[in-house]
């Protein structure tokens, strides 16, 4: 006995609705996955340049102690992110900051991006926008790092960095939602006040 055409039509409509529901749920799931991936946490690692040489006075490179510290920084950060490592490296255009950052940039086959330490707001805004969800190393100076971190929404209570203090690593974690966190670690030869 044949089923009435209305029963067959009803089954076809149910099947179409099920397919539509599956397609809608799949689209929502893909959209949410894309949204949360695009809103990933950005991590910025700040360090001061390593120990500088005494000469030349206007733009010194690293001393022997500074070269050892830069090598230790490279050892610490080359595998900082267990998935991919540091994604970008920024440095001011001075020899001491470039030499500190170059070892890591070269080890990871990354370009060394230069920034103007006098324009802290613009560089931090650019870093967060361009490198969203990545791990970025920023090498700066004792008098610029607190302002750089402050412009990212990090802790305003970063202590002043002494003239001969080179062992700080500041890790600023910027989530897509929630509070920015600041962590201070030490590396290499310890600073003794």
């Amino acid at each position: 006995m044949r089923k009435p055409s209305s029963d067959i039509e009803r089954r076809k409509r149910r099947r179409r609705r099920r397919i539509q529901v599956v397609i809608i749920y799949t689209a929502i799931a893909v959209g949410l996955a894309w949204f949360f991936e695009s809103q990933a946490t950005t991590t910025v690692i700040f360090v001061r340049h390593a120990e500088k040489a005494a000469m030349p006075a206007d733009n010194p490179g690293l001393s022997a102690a500074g070269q050892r510290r830069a090598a230790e920084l490279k050892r610490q950060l080359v595998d900082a992110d267990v998935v991919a490592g540091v994604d970008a490296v920024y440095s001011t255009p001075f020899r001491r900051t470039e030499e500190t950052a170059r070892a890591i940039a070269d080890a990871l086959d990354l370009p060394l991006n230069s920034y103007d330490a006098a324009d802290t707001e613009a560089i931090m805004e650019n870093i967060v926008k361009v490198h969203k969800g990545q791990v970025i190393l920023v090498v700066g100076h004792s008098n610029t790092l607190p302002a750089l971190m402050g412009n990212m929404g990090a802790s305003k209570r970063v202590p002043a960095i002494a003239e001969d203090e080179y062992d700080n690593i500041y890790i600023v974690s910027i989530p897509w939602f929630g509070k920015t966190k600041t962590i201070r670690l030490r590396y290499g030869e310890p600073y003794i006040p």
Side-chain angles (χ1 to χ4, degrees):
M1 175 184 229
R2 290 186 76 191
K3 294 188 177 188
S5 64
S6 65
D7 194 33
I8 294 172
E9 286 298 316
R10 195 175 318 132
R11 286 187 178 169
K12 285 182 181 180
R13 282 193 304 264
R14 277 192 217 143
R15 188 175 302 134
R16 275 190 297 241
R17 274 190 242 135
R18 286 182 189 144
I19 290 172
Q20 288 172 341
V21 168
V22 168
I23 290 172
I24 289 170
Y25 281 133
T26 303
I28 290 171
V30 168
L32 285 173
W34 172 83
F35 173 76
F36 286 115
E37 177 63 25
S38 70
Q39 302 302 319
T41 298
T42 303
T43 303
V44 184
I45 302 169
F46 292 94
V47 297
R48 179 188 181 190
H49 61 79
E51 290 88 340
K52 60 185 174 182
M55 297 303 285
D58 61 335
N59 190 15
L62 296 180
S63 66
Q67 291 171 358
R68 287 191 300 276
R69 187 174 302 278
E72 175 62 13
L73 182 65
K74 173 187 152 192
R75 188 182 77 76
Q76 293 289 329
L77 296 183
V78 79
D79 296 324
D81 180 353
V82 294
V83 176
V86 173
D87 297 298
V89 179
Y90 284 80
S91 166
T92 60
F94 295 96
R95 281 185 58 204
R96 58 194 176 273
T97 53
E98 288 178 347
E99 289 176 12
T100 302
R102 180 136 339 264
I104 297 161
D106 288 350
L108 296 171
D109 198 29
L110 295 170
L112 186 56
N113 301 295
S114 186
Y115 72 92
D116 179 8
D119 195 1
T120 59
E121 280 188 39
I123 187 60
M124 289 300 102
E125 185 178 307
N126 181 57
I127 285 174
V128 171
K129 185 168 62 173
V130 171
H131 301 289
K132 188 174 217 164
Q134 296 181 344
V135 177
I136 302 99
L137 171 65
V138 177
V139 180
H141 305 271
S142 61
N143 61 338
T144 63
L145 288 181
L148 286 168
M149 288 183 272
N151 286 336
M152 296 194 90
S155 176
K156 303 282 188 204
R157 295 183 290 167
V158 173
I161 301 169
E163 181 59 33
D164 55 347
E165 183 178 4
Y166 298 95
D167 64 344
N168 294 307
I169 296 178
Y170 294 96
I171 301 171
V172 178
S173 178
I174 308 163
W176 71 276
F177 179 79
K179 186 178 177 184
T180 298
K181 304 284 185 188
T182 306
I183 299 171
R184 181 173 83 172
L185 303 173
R186 304 283 187 159
Y187 77 104
E189 191 70 28
Y191 166 68
I192 301 171

